[in-house]
């Protein structure tokens, strides 16, 4: 069964932009932190990766911000693996307003597993596949980025 993990975050005043809203850059950081917590939740903490000289990086993130997030909203961010291959995964994110349950944002990150010293792609250990079991479900309705006409 797919490991779906949910983390809760309170929006802090200093995270807001000049419009009083949580910017995409901060939302992406919260998504990344949720993934780190999800991995730790099943036993793959920092020490696990240090011992194997491995790291994960976000190669690309697609984000759909559906409504403004403001102080002092609390976010419940769920994450799971959609798919995984030898050295990469697609991790999905669904952010809800914890008080109302309304979906405020969704995202997809393309994570790559690397050797920490050489920064070359490193095969994902089978035990990670066994714990996370990708489910093929995307959080995004439209995965392709929007195409804008040339000016």
């Amino acid at each position: 069964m797919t490991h779906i993990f949910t983390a809760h975050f309170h929006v802090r005043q200093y995270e807001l932009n000049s419009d009083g809203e949580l910017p995409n850059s901060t939302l992406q950081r919260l998504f990344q932190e949720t993934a780190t917590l999800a991995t730790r939740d099943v036993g793959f903490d920092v020490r696990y990766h240090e011992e194997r000289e491995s790291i994960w990086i976000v190669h690309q993130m697609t984000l759909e911000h559906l409504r403004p997030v403001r102080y002092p909203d609390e976010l419940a961010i769920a994450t799971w693996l959609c798919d995984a291959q030898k050295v990469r995964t697609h991790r999905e994110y669904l952010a809800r307003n914890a008080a109302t349950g309304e979906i405020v944002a969704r995202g997809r990150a393309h994570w790559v597993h690397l050797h920490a010293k050489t920064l070359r792609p490193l095969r994902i250990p089978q035990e990670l596949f066994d714990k996370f079991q990708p489910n093929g479900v995307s959080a995004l309705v439209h995965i392709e980025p929007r195409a804008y006409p040339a000016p």
Side-chain angles (χ1 to χ4, degrees), residues 8-99:
H8 292 262
F9 299 96
H10 288 277
V11 175
R12 297 168 292 200
Q13 184 69 35
Y14 67 82
E15 295 174 317
L16 306 179
N17 62 20
S18 60
D19 295 323
E21 299 174 1
L22 191 73
N24 287 345
S25 58
T26 302
L27 189 57
Q28 289 176 350
R29 288 183 192 100
L30 293 176
F31 283 2
Q32 183 174 347
E33 180 65 11
T34 302
T36 301
L37 295 172
T39 303
R40 189 179 74 187
D41 183 56
V42 294
F44 303 113
D45 59 6
V46 172
R47 183 175 301 153
Y48 173 88
H49 292 291
E50 286 174 349
E51 290 169 357
R52 287 152 185 81
E53 296 184 332
S54 68
I55 59 171
W56 287 91
I57 62 158
V58 175
H59 175 69
Q60 177 186 16
M61 180 162 308
T62 303
L63 179 69
E64 184 179 22
H65 209 136
L66 302 171
R67 79 152 191 84
V69 178
R70 296 187 168 87
Y71 178 82
D73 290 349
E74 178 184 351
L75 296 178
I77 302 175
T79 186
W80 64 93
L81 284 189
C82 176
D83 64 58
Q85 294 181 1
K86 292 179 185 178
V87 300
R88 65 122 187 115
T89 66
H90 281 119
R91 182 170 277 284
E92 307 295 320
Y93 303 89
L94 194 60
R96 295 179 182 273
N97 179 304

Side-chain angles (χ1 to χ4, degrees), residues 94-136:
L94 194 60
R96 295 179 182 273
N97 179 304
T100 66
E102 177 186 11
I103 297 172
V104 297
R106 356 175 192 242
R108 167 180 257 213
H110 177 177
W111 286 85
V112 180
H113 191 233
L114 301 175
H115 187 278
K117 293 183 179 172
T118 66
L119 300 181
R120 290 181 166 229
L122 184 63
R123 183 178 286 276
I124 300 168
Q126 184 61 43
E127 57 192 325
L128 269 82
F129 289 117
D130 295 343
K131 290 282 187 177
F132 289 106
Q133 297 180 4
N135 65 5

